[in-house]
Amino acid sequence: MLDRFTMPLTQRPLLALADILHRQKITADQVTLAAFIVGLSALPLLAFEQYGWALAAIVLNRVGDGVDGALARLNNQQSDAGGFLDIGLDFVFYASVVLGFALADPEQNALPAALLLFAFIGTGTSFLAFAIAAKARQIERPNFPKKAFYYLEGLTEGTETVAAFVLFCLFPTAFPLLACLFAAACLITTITRLWGGYWTLRS
């Protein structure tokens, strides 16, 4: 819901970072992989309840996720392969954060984490399934023209997910409540994406 507003605000600093990496001959795929490795380190950090360090890993991952696209455009290296790698690793990263909280306190967090992972399956599959159909039909993506795939909007997008992860880390004892609330929002997103996507393709 908020990505259309936050993305334009982040473009200038991301381009500045991308320009530095461009001068060092670093590729977008290298940044994607490095950001994923850093982000994945949040899993053991969360499991051992090192929430501050985990938050740092999450933030660095998200910065890298923004820089790789800017760098690909700067290097004129945008590709379906790069877009596939980026979104595939993103979803693995999202799941790893939730798993980390489940491992930190299985008794309190396991069920809310399972519910959130269930909701993530809905948002992810509805998002990617529509992207495949939209690409085949060459449907325009007016709000996100720089994306490698069709960006189907919803109540919970990248900005909301990052905000949720930050809240999880800042208030770890509230994870069960926060995870359930975010899962409910993700389920609403899934329903609206399935409905909107179906009728968009029908028309």
Side-chain angles (χ1 to χ4, degrees):
M1 182 174 66
L2 297 177
D3 281 4
R4 68 167 71 184
F5 304 110
T6 58
M7 284 186 176
L9 299 176
T10 60
Q11 289 307 301
R12 184 171 294 180
L14 290 177
L15 281 172
L17 289 172
D19 185 60
I20 294 172
L21 297 175
H22 173 70
R23 296 171 189 267
Q24 302 301 316
K25 309 298 183 183
I26 295 174
T27 68
D29 287 350
Q30 289 172 335
V31 174
T32 299
L33 290 170
F36 174 69
I37 292 170
V38 171
L40 203 61
S41 70
L43 197 165
L45 290 169
L46 289 168
F48 287 103
E49 302 181 65
Q50 300 298 311
Y51 299 112
W53 287 109
L55 177 57
I58 291 168
V59 171
L60 287 174
N61 170 271
R62 294 295 82 199
V63 171
D65 182 64
V67 170
D68 61 3
L71 184 59
R73 292 188 291 273
L74 195 60
N75 291 339
N76 197 25
Q77 293 178 332
Q78 289 178 279
S79 68
D80 289 340
F84 167 77
L85 181 66
D86 180 60
I87 192 64
L89 295 182
D90 275 354
F91 280 107
V92 174
F93 162 71
Y94 291 155
S96 73
V97 172
V98 179
L99 176 59
F101 278 97
L103 294 174
D105 188 350
E107 184 176 350
Q108 297 295 323
N109 294 350
L111 186 56
L115 176 61
L116 184 52
L117 288 174
F118 166 73
F120 276 177
I121 292 294
T123 57
T125 53
S126 59
F127 176 88
L128 295 175
F130 185 82
I132 294 169
K135 185 174 181 63
R137 289 170 172 254
Q138 297 183 326
I139 298 175
E140 295 295 327
R141 47 190 185 209
N143 292 321
F144 304 96
K146 296 180 180 179
K147 285 289 185 180
F149 44 83
Y150 190 98
Y151 199 90
L152 185 61
E153 298 170 74
L155 179 62
T156 56
E157 299 171 348
T159 301
E160 290 81 8
T161 303
V162 174
F165 286 177
V166 170
L167 289 175
F168 294 167
C169 290
L170 293 177
F171 307 101
T173 58
F175 175 81
L177 174 61
L178 294 172
C180 288
L181 290 174
F182 192 59
C186 287
L187 291 174
I188 293 172
T189 297
T190 300
I191 293 169
T192 57
R193 279 179 174 168
L194 288 173
W195 178 265
Y198 174 80
W199 286 109
T200 296
L201 295 174
R202 277 289 300 269
S203 61

